[in-house]
Amino acid sequence: MSSAAVPNTTAGGDDNNNDDDSSSPINLLKDSQTPHSLQNPPRSLLLPSSFSSNHTPQEIANHLFQNSEILAPMVRASTTPLRTLALSHGASLVYTEELVDRSIVSPTERIINEELGTIDYRVPKHTYSAKVQRRLENDVDNPDAKNGAVLLRIDPLIERNKLIYQLGTGEPNLALEAAMTVVKDVDGLDVNMGCPKKFSVSGGMGSALLSDMRRACDIISTLRRNIGCNVPVSAKIRLLDENDPKKTVDFVRGLVKAGANAIAIHGRIRGDESHIMARWGTLIEVVRELKLCGDVTVPIIVNGDLYTREDIREMKRRTGCDGIMLARPALYN
């Protein structure tokens, strides 16, 4: 995580009350250049503080994604507790849950949570209807809800250099606005092109983009051209056809040409529910063909039914993939 993500001032509170406690979470957040957490990963796993300013987005993506084991983006699951737990057990990278572009832009506020030492993206309570405001005020299980709903909470001391923000979007301009809102607090931006849920597809997001390569590529190229920093841009997709690997290969090539710095491929097609076995045969063919393409040199991540170490070893051996991504296997373990 870039040093620009660490603010020098707090949002609210009495600064004088915090200055005397050098061990408080907020002072560690402000002053530390290395993670202070139970995990405390080896320095070799962290990007040097000057890395992001001295290297291209592709070089950073290669560093982040090659030989990686990643916690997948999961709605209502890939929140701060699970992400930090996964990192404490050795995950290379963690993704946020998919957050729709409109949800993260104004009126959402970026707030330094002094009590937790986190960066919170919060929707102010007053922007909700009266009914929702009453529900937030009466939420005894979450007293902090009286201040509004937290859409995204980042622990910069634990998640530094390891956090990928997944964006649900169907429009290039909205994608860019959302990305610019969070870019200084994350280490990569990923576009969800695989979610088959109705809320996503009906909005032209998720797996709907698999049917519209022009729009999918436009989103990627808009982000890559305009981000203005060295944060990598990636996409997570599904197989486009259960039998023909060429359709998926061509789609990936299009995304890479548009500027994608890494691609994750879920081994199911649109319409496959989670109880349908991942289509390893087609996935393996796709990755093998991509590895033979001279114009695809970005990291390729595979996802789908990798429940054991033997599954992971077998997939790596048969595909030469650069990393693996775990969703339900992480939850089940």
Side-chain angles (χ1 to χ4, degrees), residues 196-233:
K197 299 300 183 182
K198 183 177 180 180
F199 84 90
S200 188
V201 175
S202 63
M205 303 179 291
S207 61
L209 291 169
L210 299 179
S211 301
D212 193 340
M213 180 185 287
R214 183 198 60 77
R215 190 159 53 93
C217 290
D218 194 12
I219 291 170
I220 293 294
S221 63
T222 297
L223 292 175
R224 186 66 281 151
R225 288 195 314 269
N226 295 286
I227 287 302
C229 65
N230 292 344
V231 172
V233 173

Side-chain angles (χ1 to χ4, degrees), residues 121-262:
Y121 285 83
R122 185 194 302 273
V123 180
K125 187 183 69 172
H126 68 81
T127 63
Y128 288 100
S129 67
K131 181 179 179 180
V132 173
Q133 288 188 43
R134 287 194 297 271
R135 188 168 73 239
L136 291 171
E137 290 170 356
N138 296 324
D139 188 348
V140 295
D141 294 325
N142 181 17
D144 190 45
K146 65 181 182 295
N147 297 315
V150 174
L151 292 180
L152 175 63
R153 172 166 286 158
I154 298 170
D155 188 327
L157 302 183
I158 297 178
E159 298 184 281
R160 174 178 175 241
N161 297 335
K162 296 174 181 294
L163 181 63
I164 308 298
Y165 176 87
Q166 194 184 60
L167 176 62
T169 188
E171 301 177 33
N173 291 339
L174 274 175
L176 180 60
E177 185 178 1
M180 294 301 292
T181 301
V182 301
V183 68
K184 291 185 178 181
D185 293 325
V186 300
D187 306 294
L189 298 165
D190 184 80
V191 179
N192 185 326
M193 299 188 184
C195 180
K197 299 300 183 182
K198 183 177 180 180
F199 84 90
S200 188
V201 175
S202 63
M205 303 179 291
S207 61
L209 291 169
L210 299 179
S211 301
D212 193 340
M213 180 185 287
R214 183 198 60 77
R215 190 159 53 93
C217 290
D218 194 12
I219 291 170
I220 293 294
S221 63
T222 297
L223 292 175
R224 186 66 281 151
R225 288 195 314 269
N226 295 286
I227 287 302
C229 65
N230 292 344
V231 172
V233 173
S234 60
K236 185 174 186 288
I237 71 170
R238 287 187 170 223
L239 296 171
L240 273 72
D241 189 276
E242 59 186 300
N243 297 311
D244 182 8
K246 185 177 185 302
K247 293 180 181 179
T248 307
V249 170
D250 288 346
F251 192 84
V252 170
R253 293 176 72 182
L255 295 179
V256 172
K257 185 177 180 179
N261 303 117

